[in-house]
Amino acid sequence: QVHLVESGGGLVQPGGSLTLSCTTSGFTLSNYAVSWYRQAPGKERELVASINSAGYAADSMKGRFTIYRDNAKNTVYLQMNSVKPEDTAVYYCNAQKTAPFRRDYWGQGTQVTVSS
């Protein structure tokens, strides 16, 4: 059975750091691209960062966030640095494979609140 579980969220001061974890089971993580998304109240869900099966990573946060994976531990991480109040959102982990057909697996999300 497929499971993705996010953890590591919480309250953090502006300018601080936080690391989120996405632990997975029930599928071969090394064959999947993984992304972090976030959604704040009243806003659309947006892509934060992605890493493909070859380990190539990209992010939308101008270098403040870093995504990395440990396939041996079936875990993907999001390191968040220099956080801002606008980073406050529920963060979701997504695993995706496009061949031979598209599959998407989602976690339940973890809340990140950036506030002084």
Side-chain angles (χ1 to χ4, degrees):
Q1 187 160 359
V2 172
H3 294 282
L4 287 78
V5 180
E6 300 94 336
S7 62
L11 178 64
V12 61
Q13 298 279 342
S17 298
L18 197 66
T19 299
L20 307 182
S21 299
C22 175
T23 59
T24 71
S25 61
F27 64 100
T28 304
L29 183 63
S30 62
N31 293 332
Y32 287 74
V34 181
S35 299
W36 285 94
Y37 290 80
R38 70 185 185 187
Q39 187 167 27
K43 298 181 65 177
E44 296 181 352
R45 182 172 296 187
E46 65 173 335
L47 177 65
V48 175
S50 296
I51 185 167
N52 70 8
S53 59
Y56 175 79
D59 73 88
S60 302
M61 300 296 116
K62 298 184 178 180
R64 293 189 298 116
F65 297 176
T66 302
I67 186 171
Y68 57 101
R69 63 196 297 164
D70 186 339
N71 291 331
K73 295 183 177 181
N74 298 314
T75 302
V76 179
Y77 305 89
L78 182 69
Q79 182 179 334
M80 306 168 61
N81 297 323
S82 302
V83 296
K84 305 174 182 179
E86 54 262 43
D87 295 324
T88 296
V90 177
Y91 284 71
Y92 298 91
C93 180
N94 167 261
Q96 181 182 104
K97 188 178 182 183
T98 58
F101 55 89
R102 178 162 180 159
R103 284 163 284 181
D104 277 288
Y105 303 132
W106 290 89
Q108 83 292 340
T110 185
Q111 175 72 48
V112 173
T113 302
V114 182
S115 177
S116 60

